[in-house]
Amino acid sequence: MNGIKQLFVSIVKLLIGSTFLLSSSFIYSQKIGLVLSGGGATGFAHIGVLKALEENNIPIDYITGTSSGALIGGLYAIGYSPSEIETYVKSKRFETITKGELEVQNNYFFNKDETDASLLHLSFSADSAFKRFLPTKFMNSTFLDYEMLTTFGPAGEIANEDFSKLFIPFRCVASDISNKKCVVLKNGKLNLAIRASMTFPFFIQPIKFNNQLLFDGGLYNNFPADVMVNDFAPDFIIGSNVSSNYKSPEEHDLLSQLINMMVIPTDFSIPEGKGIIIAPKTNVTTFNFSDIESAINAGYTETLAQLELIKKYIPIAQNKAIFSKKRTEYREKLTGTKIVAVESTSSDKKLNHFVQRNILPNKLATDSITFAKRYFRLNSYEGIEFLTPSLTRIKDSNYLLTLKPLKAKEFGIEIGGVFSSKAINTGYIGLSYLLLKNQSLKIKGDSYFGRFYGAAKLLVDYKIPITYQIGFSPYFVLNRWDYFKSFSSFFEDVKPSYLIQNEMYYGIQLKHPIGNIGKSVFDLRNFTTNDQYYQTENFSTKDTSDFTLFSGYSIKWVGELNTLNRKQFASKGKLLSVKVQFVDGTEDSESGSSSSNRYKILQKHNWFSIQGEGQWFIFNNNTFNLGLHMKGVMSNQPLFYNYKASLLAMNDFSPFVDAQSTFLQEYRSNKHIGIGTNLIFSIKKNIDFRIDGYLYQAFNQLNQNNALSFYYERPQLFKDFLLASHLIYHSPIGPVRISANYFPQQRNPIYFHICYGYLLFNERAYR
């Protein structure tokens, strides 16, 4: 009897269930797949989609993604919550990654090349000069690669490199341009898989994954719904799509032609009856990472709008408490990573030795902070183009770090200079050779050529990568400045010259780092300077100038901390520099035809000086930056034989760029200080309006009765000042600006000019 009763109950349940299923448009199962398209910055809308789904307890059992969809999906697959992903992508750290920059503490100042006027750098190898001449990347991916390693590396290893064993089973796709096909990445090093899927051509350095050179998955499959069906076969698919196929090429649009040659159209659909597509609407563009929040909100809003339809197909909600507990337990497994061994897989044994000495110099396990410092130091060597990093789990939280270093091309060409409406146009070219074996060696020669400034320099930079690094740099420099009587702009009459300075010096530097953001330099040099000048403004081309030769040596120590974000027109960071110098030499001065007194003098001079400079940008946001800037010098430098020679031997106060191209005698003294502010208004991305204002105080100002009768006087307190304003576009290949300068003691105190490039010089011989 009981058996008949149980059979009757089962039949009734079956009939009721059948009625429900027949009345529904979909037969429910708990296996739900999420497909995330590519789209660059637009792809951050996927975070809003995940956020809305999780808040409403919609379960996600599988994830497939392309490019930015691979990144967001990968983070969710290793246990990041939507709110954690949102916090991360809106952080300063992530903003730094998208700009191709490094965080301040990881920007290794010691290995930075000396500042010059270069605008464009090209490199090549001796065996393939033409094939390897053009660069393959626009953005520096050093920080991105480190984040991929530390974020995804441990999770991939705990899953035994099987992406189906992550917290949520995961797939991403990349493009094999050699065989013109989409590659589904399902196992291997997780950090490299996601990095490969994000490698936009010519923008990010391409990498090899399982010996295949792979690029952005969006080239061949920008919406991997087919991968979801083939690999996971879920019962229902939720797609988040923020992309579309490119328009047909146009005859006058080269970019559209190139894109269509590279990209295969994607099928942005889901098999009929198998799911639903969410298409967030946003004005965020592919490379606009400054408005991530807008993209997230668009994804969230669009998902909520379709939530009732989604719930119709997925009526059973996941248990939030159980899901949260599992996520926490999973994430706990990923903590405490230690690097206990390093291997380098280059075919060059000496390069492998160099890499290992930098990462684990003492062959001891390293914590995450120390590892980060050493990793970025290694990446900062010019001889290393790229590191492909991955982790292999040895035991528990102990890992082997594998690096596949790509050597930089040995030869480099740098081109640049400044092109201005003022008569200061100067070209720049530099040639360099890199050698990386057990040590780092760079040989560089460069030249400036122009009417105002000309120079030649040869430098050898030799660094030994021991635990406490040191470097040696012998050098030889020739400089020439040719100042004109007028400094007005546009159609200016620049004849004749009234002041010419020639310098020749050579020496050697001993350098070592001060933490990651500073360096200490001991410098010993021999120099000869030749200043040619007129004692009066009334001279002609037939007159011969007075001249002063000064020959001797200097011993100098410089300590510098520098995190400024640009080599000129900085808007963030700080600079602190101290220079202590002893100079000893012989003056040889002789009068010219325009001098009112005939003389020829030979005399010895020596002195000590201390110079200091500090710049701090104390307030920073996306629209306004405020900086404070101070420069000063204290010296017991003696006077030379005449007024002009004494003035030329002194340090000048030239705190902004255009003051350096003009001889301003009122801002020269052996004891002075200047204090100023830098106000920067960011009108748009990379467009700044800048105002620089300075007060100048000399503690003993040189004045004259005549050429050979001159004296010190104590000037009024902060009576002198300088002002400059600039509208600057910071282009990828140098600044373009319109400038207005105000020098109050000049006959024509205000002048305007238009300029492109960097107005930078080699270091002075002793001034």
Side-chain angles (χ1 to χ4, degrees):
M1 189 71 179
N2 288 337
I4 295 173
K5 183 177 180 180
Q6 289 176 353
L7 178 62
F8 177 76
V9 171
S10 298
I11 292 171
V12 170
K13 287 182 177 180
L14 180 62
L15 289 172
I16 294 172
S18 299
T19 302
F20 169 76
L21 292 174
L22 288 171
S23 65
S24 174
S25 60
F26 175 70
I27 300 177
Y28 173 73
S29 173
Q30 285 193 332
K31 299 303 179 185
I32 311 301
L34 178 66
V35 180
L36 305 177
S37 75
T42 316
F44 292 110
H46 301 322
I47 301 171
V49 173
L50 284 167
K51 187 177 178 181
L53 292 176
E54 190 163 302
E55 284 178 357
N56 289 275
N57 301 316
I58 305 298
I60 301 298
D61 299 291
Y62 312 111
I63 298 176
T64 62
T66 297
S67 193
S68 57
L71 173 64
I72 304 303
L75 288 169
Y76 196 72
I78 64 169
Y80 279 69
S81 69
S83 60
E84 287 175 321
I85 299 173
E86 180 177 7
T87 299
Y88 175 62
V89 301
K90 290 164 68 175
S91 68
K92 284 288 184 183
R93 186 178 181 89
F94 190 79
E95 180 184 353
T96 303
I97 294 172
T98 62
K99 291 179 178 178
E101 298 173 354
L102 294 176
E103 290 183 306
V104 168
Q105 67 271 21
N106 293 324
N107 210 335
Y108 194 43
F109 183 64
F110 181 67
N111 279 346
K112 276 192 172 182
D113 204 1
E114 289 195 12
T115 303
D116 55 46
S118 59
L119 296 164
L120 181 66
H121 179 88
L122 301 171
S123 56
F124 60 94
S125 295
D127 57 348
S128 52
F130 297 104
K131 188 188 299 183
R132 300 183 62 188
F133 192 78
L134 294 175
T136 57
K137 63 179 180 180
F138 178 75
M139 189 190 89
N140 186 334
S141 65
T142 299
F143 198 6
L144 171 65
D145 295 318
Y146 175 81
E147 284 292 281
M148 294 292 100
L149 176 75
T150 55
T151 302
F152 294 106
E157 290 306 296
I158 288 173
N160 293 318
E161 300 185 13
D162 182 353
F163 302 169
S164 295
K165 295 180 181 178
L166 298 174
F167 180 64
I168 296 175
F170 172 72
R171 299 286 187 272
C172 62
V173 296
S175 299
D176 176 6
I177 63 171
S178 176
N179 297 300
K180 304 295 186 296
K181 67 177 183 180
C182 173
V183 179
V184 179
L185 306 179
K186 59 180 69 177
N187 49 49
K189 302 299 181 183
L190 179 61
N191 66 301
L192 298 183
I194 294 175
R195 169 66 168 79
S197 184
M198 297 166 56
T199 304
F200 196 85
F202 309 117
F203 190 71
I204 305 177
Q205 173 76 35
I207 65 170
K208 284 189 175 181
F209 182 85
N210 294 338
N211 293 319
Q212 286 180 297
L213 187 67
L214 300 180
F215 286 86
D216 195 296
L219 296 179
Y220 299 155
N221 188 348
N222 211 16
F223 188 69
D226 57 331
V227 178
M228 177 63 73
V229 172
N230 296 334
D231 278 37
F232 297 122
D235 295 289
F236 189 75
I237 297 173
I238 300 173
S240 177
N241 178 35
V242 292
S243 193
S244 61
N245 288 316
Y246 288 97
K247 296 179 180 180
S248 299
E250 298 178 10
E251 57 183 344
H252 298 300
D253 189 343
L254 178 60
L255 184 60
S256 72
Q257 296 168 22
L258 291 173
I259 289 173
N260 276 271
M261 281 190 274
M262 290 192 301
V263 177
I264 295 175
T266 293
D267 179 9
F268 292 99
S269 66
I270 293 173
E272 187 176 352
K274 293 287 290 184
I276 187 172
I277 294 179
I278 301 168
K281 298 175 181 63
T282 174
N283 293 323
V284 176
T285 55
T286 302
F287 297 107
N288 180 17
F289 294 96
S290 61
D291 196 12
I292 289 175
E293 186 171 4
S294 175
I296 294 173
N297 291 338
Y300 184 80
T301 301
E302 186 63 26
T303 305
L304 291 181
Q306 298 203 48
L307 195 61
E308 291 304 316
L309 182 60
I310 293 171
K311 286 183 175 180
K312 178 181 177 182
Y313 292 112
I314 309 173
I316 300 178
Q318 70 179 352
N319 188 304
K320 184 178 291 186
I322 294 175
F323 181 74
S324 180
K325 182 181 179 183
K326 287 181 178 179
R327 174 184 276 161
T328 301
E329 291 173 349
Y330 179 85
R331 290 285 299 278
E332 286 175 352
K333 298 176 185 178
L334 307 180
T335 59
T337 302
K338 285 186 178 181
I339 307 297
V340 298
V342 177
E343 69 173 0
S344 178
T345 59
S346 170
S347 58
D348 186 332
K349 292 183 179 180
K350 290 185 177 180
L351 178 59
N352 291 334
H353 181 61
F354 182 89
V355 168
Q356 290 168 334
R357 286 178 70 186
N358 273 274
I359 297 292
L360 282 181
N362 302 318
K363 297 186 178 180
L364 298 174
T366 179
D367 55 51
S368 59
I369 296 175
T370 304
F371 166 64
K373 185 183 295 184
R374 292 173 181 168
Y375 180 85
F376 290 115
R377 281 189 180 188
L378 177 61
N379 261 287
S380 70
Y381 280 98
E382 289 185 86
I384 294 178
E385 176 74 19
F386 184 70
L387 292 172
T388 304
S390 61
L391 294 176
T392 300
R393 192 181 184 195
I394 298 175
K395 183 181 179 181
D396 300 326
S397 296
N398 295 336
Y399 289 86
L400 164 70
L401 172 68
T402 300
L403 297 171
K404 187 176 182 179
L406 175 65
K407 261 190 175 183
K409 300 159 193 175
E410 309 98 284
F411 296 94
I413 299 177
E414 294 178 341
I415 301 168
V418 62
F419 308 94
S420 170
S421 60
K422 186 184 174 186
I424 57 172
N425 296 287
T426 306
Y428 171 84
I429 186 167
L431 302 173
S432 61
Y433 172 72
L434 294 170
L435 181 65
L436 194 64
K437 294 294 184 182
N438 291 327
Q439 293 83 29
S440 170
L441 176 69
K442 179 177 182 178
I443 303 172
K444 182 178 180 181
D446 61 27
S447 176
Y448 292 83
F449 43 94
R451 184 163 187 180
F452 167 65
Y453 177 61
K457 182 177 182 180
L458 180 63
L459 171 73
V460 178
D461 193 17
Y462 179 73
K463 295 189 179 80
I464 305 174
I466 55 180
T467 304
Y468 191 71
Q469 283 187 293
I470 57 173
F472 301 92
S473 294
Y475 56 84
F476 176 82
V477 178
L478 296 172
N479 285 327
R480 175 185 173 89
W481 285 268
D482 194 342
Y483 294 91
F484 306 116
K485 191 173 181 180
S486 166
F487 63 86
S488 62
S489 299
F490 302 103
F491 314 111
E492 111 182 90
D493 178 12
V494 297
K495 293 182 180 181
S497 302
Y498 81 106
L499 170 60
I500 297 174
Q501 292 184 295
N502 288 284
E503 298 182 343
M504 183 277 291
Y505 62 90
Y506 57 90
I508 188 168
Q509 294 179 338
L510 171 64
K511 304 180 287 188
H512 63 87
I514 303 175
N516 262 28
I517 64 171
K519 65 180 177 181
S520 169
V521 180
F522 294 90
D523 184 297
L524 175 63
R525 73 177 52 163
N526 190 283
F527 63 82
T528 298
T529 65
N530 182 358
D531 294 340
Q532 301 171 44
Y533 49 89
Y534 293 93
Q535 298 283 1
T536 175
E537 293 188 358
N538 299 315
F539 61 90
S540 70
T541 55
K542 294 180 180 180
D543 288 319
T544 59
S545 63
D546 293 26
F547 72 84
T548 296
L549 290 172
F550 186 55
S551 301
Y553 70 93
S554 75
I555 302 171
K556 180 174 60 178
W557 174 79
V558 180
E560 182 175 357
L561 303 176
N562 193 330
T563 63
L564 297 179
N565 62 330
R566 299 187 183 107
K567 59 184 175 182
Q568 221 164 38
F569 305 110
S571 59
K572 294 179 182 178
K574 64 182 179 182
L575 166 69
L576 180 62
S577 175
V578 177
K579 180 193 295 184
V580 181
Q581 186 175 26
F582 172 74
V583 177
D584 185 274
T586 301
E587 174 195 356
D588 180 2
S589 292
E590 186 172 341
S591 58
S593 63
S594 65
S595 179
S596 59
N597 299 292
R598 291 296 181 183
Y599 64 88
K600 181 172 175 57
I601 189 72
L602 195 71
Q603 56 185 353
K604 295 278 292 182
H605 299 293
N606 59 68
W607 67 87
F608 284 95
S609 67
I610 299 176
Q611 299 177 50
E613 181 176 6
Q615 188 170 22
W616 301 267
F617 286 92
I618 57 178
F619 183 81
N620 291 282
N621 62 32
N622 291 329
T623 58
F624 176 69
N625 294 344
L626 171 63
L628 298 178
H629 192 189
M630 299 175 62
K631 291 183 72 174
V633 61
M634 295 296 293
S635 172
N636 65 342
Q637 181 178 348
L639 296 174
F640 280 47
Y641 183 71
N642 63 59
Y643 169 76
K644 189 63 70 71
S646 299
L647 207 61
L648 290 171
M650 292 177 179
N651 291 91
D652 68 329
F653 179 70
S654 51
F656 51 78
V657 57
D658 294 323
Q660 298 168 19
S661 63
T662 307
F663 183 70
L664 302 170
Q665 63 186 40
E666 60 270 25
Y667 300 105
R668 287 176 173 263
S669 171
N670 63 354
K671 296 182 179 70
H672 69 249
I673 189 171
I675 304 172
T677 60
N678 314 115
L679 306 176
I680 299 135
F681 303 89
S682 297
I683 301 171
K684 284 189 174 182
K685 183 180 179 181
N686 294 327
I687 299 179
D688 294 339
F689 177 67
R690 181 185 185 105
I691 301 174
D692 299 320
Y694 291 86
L695 291 173
Y696 170 76
Q697 178 65 54
F699 299 103
N700 53 355
Q701 186 71 50
L702 196 63
N703 212 332
Q704 66 175 335
N705 293 320
N706 55 56
L708 298 179
S709 177
F710 50 97
Y711 58 94
Y712 279 123
E713 65 176 1
R714 186 176 295 277
Q716 297 177 21
L717 188 63
F718 287 110
K719 73 178 182 65
D720 293 316
F721 63 94
L722 305 90
L723 289 173
S725 61
H726 314 276
L727 181 63
I728 310 172
Y729 168 53
H730 299 281
S731 81
I733 51 173
V736 181
R737 62 187 173 96
I738 302 172
S739 298
N741 298 271
Y742 181 62
F743 301 137
Q745 294 193 39
Q746 298 300 307
R747 289 179 180 175
N748 299 307
I750 301 176
Y751 80 91
F752 300 87
H753 75 120
I754 301 171
C755 187
Y756 165 62
Y758 297 107
L759 183 62
L760 291 167
F761 314 117
N762 290 326
E763 185 182 34
R764 295 270 186 165
Y766 68 88
R767 292 168 263 224

Coordinates of all heavy atoms in Angstrom, one line a residue, residues 120-136 382-383 385 406-415 429-435 443 445:
L120 N 62.7 61.7 -29.9 CA 62.4 60.4 -30.6 C 63.6 59.5 -30.4 O 64.7 59.9 -30.7 CB 62.0 60.6 -32.0 CG 61.6 59.3 -32.8 CD1 60.3 58.8 -32.3 CD2 61.5 59.7 -34.3
H121 N 63.3 58.2 -30.0 CA 64.4 57.2 -29.8 C 64.0 56.0 -30.7 O 63.0 55.5 -30.7 CB 64.5 56.8 -28.4 CG 65.5 55.7 -28.2 ND1 66.8 56.0 -27.9 CD2 65.5 54.4 -28.2 CE1 67.5 54.9 -27.8 NE2 66.7 53.9 -28.0
L122 N 65.0 55.7 -31.5 CA 64.9 54.5 -32.4 C 66.1 53.6 -32.1 O 67.2 54.1 -31.8 CB 64.9 54.9 -33.9 CG 63.8 55.8 -34.3 CD1 64.0 56.3 -35.7 CD2 62.4 55.1 -34.2
S123 N 65.9 52.3 -32.2 CA 67.0 51.4 -31.9 C 67.0 50.3 -32.9 O 66.0 50.0 -33.6 CB 66.8 50.8 -30.5 OG 65.6 50.2 -30.3
F124 N 68.2 49.6 -33.1 CA 68.4 48.6 -34.1 C 69.5 47.7 -33.7 O 70.4 48.1 -32.8 CB 68.6 49.1 -35.5 CG 69.8 50.0 -35.6 CD1 71.0 49.5 -36.0 CD2 69.7 51.4 -35.3 CE1 72.1 50.3 -36.2 CE2 70.8 52.2 -35.4 CZ 72.0 51.6 -35.9
S125 N 69.6 46.5 -34.2 CA 70.7 45.6 -34.0 C 71.6 45.6 -35.2 O 71.2 45.9 -36.4 CB 70.2 44.2 -33.8 OG 69.4 44.1 -32.6
A126 N 72.9 45.3 -35.0 CA 73.8 45.3 -36.1 C 73.5 44.3 -37.2 O 73.8 44.5 -38.4 CB 75.2 45.0 -35.5
D127 N 72.9 43.1 -36.8 CA 72.7 42.1 -37.8 C 71.4 42.2 -38.5 O 71.1 41.5 -39.5 CB 72.7 40.7 -37.1 CG 71.7 40.6 -36.0 OD1 71.1 41.6 -35.6 OD2 71.5 39.5 -35.5
S128 N 70.6 43.2 -38.1 CA 69.3 43.4 -38.8 C 68.8 44.8 -38.7 O 67.8 45.1 -38.1 CB 68.2 42.4 -38.2 OG 68.2 42.6 -36.8
A129 N 69.6 45.7 -39.2 CA 69.4 47.1 -38.9 C 68.0 47.6 -39.4 O 67.3 48.3 -38.7 CB 70.5 47.9 -39.6
F130 N 67.6 47.1 -40.6 CA 66.4 47.6 -41.2 C 65.2 46.9 -40.6 O 64.1 47.5 -40.3 CB 66.4 47.5 -42.7 CG 67.5 48.4 -43.3 CD1 68.7 47.8 -43.7 CD2 67.3 49.8 -43.4 CE1 69.7 48.6 -44.3 CE2 68.3 50.6 -43.9 CZ 69.5 50.0 -44.3
K131 N 65.3 45.6 -40.4 CA 64.2 44.8 -39.9 C 63.8 45.2 -38.5 O 62.6 45.1 -38.2 CB 64.6 43.3 -39.9 CG 63.5 42.4 -39.7 CD 63.9 40.9 -39.5 CE 64.6 40.4 -40.7 NZ 65.0 39.0 -40.6
R132 N 64.7 45.6 -37.7 CA 64.4 45.8 -36.3 C 64.5 47.3 -35.9 O 64.8 47.6 -34.8 CB 65.3 45.0 -35.4 CG 65.1 43.5 -35.6 CD 66.0 42.7 -34.7 NE 65.6 42.9 -33.3 CZ 66.3 42.5 -32.2 NH1 67.4 41.8 -32.4 NH2 65.9 42.7 -31.0
F133 N 64.3 48.2 -36.9 CA 64.5 49.6 -36.6 C 63.3 50.2 -35.9 O 63.5 51.0 -35.0 CB 64.8 50.3 -37.9 CG 65.3 51.7 -37.8 CD1 66.6 51.9 -37.5 CD2 64.4 52.8 -38.0 CE1 67.0 53.2 -37.3 CE2 64.9 54.1 -37.8 CZ 66.2 54.3 -37.5
L134 N 62.1 49.9 -36.4 CA 60.9 50.5 -35.8 C 60.5 49.9 -34.5 O 60.7 48.7 -34.3 CB 59.7 50.3 -36.8 CG 59.9 51.1 -38.1 CD1 58.8 50.8 -39.1 CD2 60.0 52.6 -37.9
P135 N 60.0 50.7 -33.6 CA 59.6 50.1 -32.3 C 58.3 49.3 -32.4 O 57.5 49.5 -33.3 CB 59.3 51.4 -31.4 CG 59.0 52.4 -32.4 CD 59.8 52.1 -33.7
T136 N 58.1 48.3 -31.5 CA 57.0 47.4 -31.5 C 56.0 47.8 -30.4 O 55.0 47.0 -30.1 CB 57.4 46.0 -31.4 OG1 58.2 45.8 -30.1 CG2 58.2 45.6 -32.5
E382 N 68.9 49.8 -19.3 CA 68.7 50.1 -20.7 C 69.0 48.8 -21.6 O 68.4 48.7 -22.7 CB 69.5 51.2 -21.2 CG 69.0 52.6 -20.7 CD 69.8 53.7 -21.3 OE1 69.4 54.2 -22.4 OE2 70.8 54.1 -20.7
G383 N 69.8 48.0 -21.2 CA 70.2 46.8 -22.0 C 69.1 45.7 -22.0 O 69.2 44.8 -22.7
E385 N 65.3 45.0 -22.8 CA 64.1 45.5 -23.4 C 62.8 45.1 -22.7 O 61.9 45.9 -22.6 CB 64.1 45.0 -24.9 CG 62.9 45.4 -25.7 CD 62.8 46.9 -26.1 OE1 63.9 47.5 -26.0 OE2 61.8 47.4 -26.4
L406 N 64.5 39.7 -22.8 CA 64.7 40.1 -24.1 C 65.7 41.2 -24.1 O 65.4 42.3 -23.6 CB 63.4 40.5 -24.8 CG 63.5 41.0 -26.3 CD1 64.0 39.9 -27.2 CD2 62.2 41.6 -26.7
K407 N 66.8 41.0 -24.7 CA 67.9 42.1 -24.8 C 67.4 43.2 -25.6 O 66.8 43.1 -26.7 CB 69.2 41.5 -25.4 CG 70.2 41.1 -24.3 CD 71.5 40.8 -25.0 CE 72.6 40.5 -24.0 NZ 73.9 40.3 -24.6
A408 N 67.8 44.4 -25.2 CA 67.5 45.6 -26.0 C 68.4 45.6 -27.2 O 69.5 45.0 -27.2 CB 67.7 46.9 -25.2
K409 N 68.0 46.2 -28.3 CA 68.8 46.4 -29.4 C 70.0 47.2 -29.1 O 69.9 48.2 -28.4 CB 68.0 47.0 -30.6 CG 66.8 46.2 -30.9 CD 65.7 47.0 -31.7 CE 64.4 46.3 -31.7 NZ 63.3 47.1 -32.3
E410 N 71.2 46.8 -29.6 CA 72.4 47.4 -29.2 C 72.6 48.8 -29.5 O 73.2 49.6 -28.8 CB 73.6 46.6 -29.7 CG 73.6 45.1 -29.5 CD 73.0 44.4 -30.8 OE1 71.8 44.5 -31.0 OE2 73.8 43.8 -31.5
F411 N 72.2 49.2 -30.7 CA 72.4 50.5 -31.2 C 71.2 51.4 -31.1 O 70.0 50.9 -31.3 CB 72.9 50.5 -32.6 CG 74.2 49.8 -32.8 CD1 74.2 48.5 -33.1 CD2 75.4 50.5 -32.6 CE1 75.5 47.8 -33.3 CE2 76.6 49.8 -32.8 CZ 76.6 48.5 -33.1
G412 N 71.4 52.7 -30.7 CA 70.3 53.6 -30.6 C 70.5 54.9 -31.3 O 71.7 55.4 -31.3
I413 N 69.5 55.5 -31.8 CA 69.6 56.8 -32.4 C 68.5 57.7 -31.7 O 67.3 57.3 -31.6 CB 69.3 56.8 -33.9 CG1 70.4 56.0 -34.6 CG2 69.3 58.2 -34.5 CD1 70.1 55.8 -36.1
E414 N 68.9 58.9 -31.2 CA 68.0 59.8 -30.6 C 68.0 61.1 -31.4 O 69.1 61.6 -31.8 CB 68.4 60.1 -29.2 CG 68.2 58.9 -28.3 CD 68.6 59.2 -26.9 OE1 69.4 60.2 -26.7 OE2 68.3 58.4 -26.0
I415 N 66.8 61.6 -31.7 CA 66.7 62.8 -32.5 C 65.8 63.8 -31.7 O 64.8 63.4 -31.1 CB 66.0 62.5 -33.9 CG1 66.9 61.5 -34.6 CG2 65.8 63.8 -34.7 CD1 66.2 60.9 -35.8
I429 N 71.1 65.2 -31.9 CA 71.2 63.8 -32.4 C 72.2 63.1 -31.4 O 73.2 63.6 -31.0 CB 71.7 63.7 -33.8 CG1 71.6 62.3 -34.3 CG2 73.1 64.3 -34.0 CD1 71.8 62.1 -35.8
G430 N 71.8 61.9 -31.0 CA 72.6 61.1 -30.2 C 72.7 59.7 -30.7 O 71.8 59.1 -31.3
L431 N 73.9 59.1 -30.6 CA 74.1 57.7 -31.0 C 74.7 56.9 -29.8 O 75.5 57.4 -29.0 CB 75.2 57.6 -32.1 CG 74.8 58.4 -33.4 CD1 76.0 58.4 -34.4 CD2 73.6 57.8 -34.1
S432 N 74.1 55.7 -29.6 CA 74.6 54.9 -28.4 C 74.8 53.5 -28.7 O 74.2 52.9 -29.7 CB 73.5 55.1 -27.3 OG 72.3 54.6 -27.7
Y433 N 75.5 52.8 -27.9 CA 75.8 51.4 -28.0 C 75.7 50.8 -26.6 O 76.2 51.3 -25.6 CB 77.2 51.1 -28.6 CG 77.6 49.7 -28.5 CD1 77.0 48.7 -29.4 CD2 78.5 49.2 -27.6 CE1 77.3 47.4 -29.4 CE2 78.9 47.9 -27.6 CZ 78.3 47.0 -28.4 OH 78.6 45.6 -28.4
L434 N 74.9 49.7 -26.5 CA 74.7 49.0 -25.3 C 75.3 47.6 -25.3 O 75.3 46.9 -26.2 CB 73.2 48.8 -25.0 CG 72.3 50.1 -24.8 CD1 70.8 49.7 -24.8 CD2 72.7 50.7 -23.5
L435 N 75.9 47.3 -24.1 CA 76.5 46.0 -23.9 C 76.1 45.5 -22.6 O 76.4 46.1 -21.5 CB 78.0 46.0 -24.1 CG 78.7 44.7 -23.9 CD1 78.3 43.7 -25.1 CD2 80.2 44.9 -23.9
I443 N 77.9 53.3 -24.2 CA 78.7 54.3 -24.8 C 77.8 55.2 -25.6 O 77.1 54.7 -26.5 CB 79.8 53.7 -25.7 CG1 80.7 52.7 -24.8 CG2 80.7 54.7 -26.3 CD1 81.6 51.9 -25.7
G445 N 77.5 59.0 -27.7 CA 78.0 60.3 -28.2 C 76.8 61.1 -28.7 O 75.9 60.6 -29.4

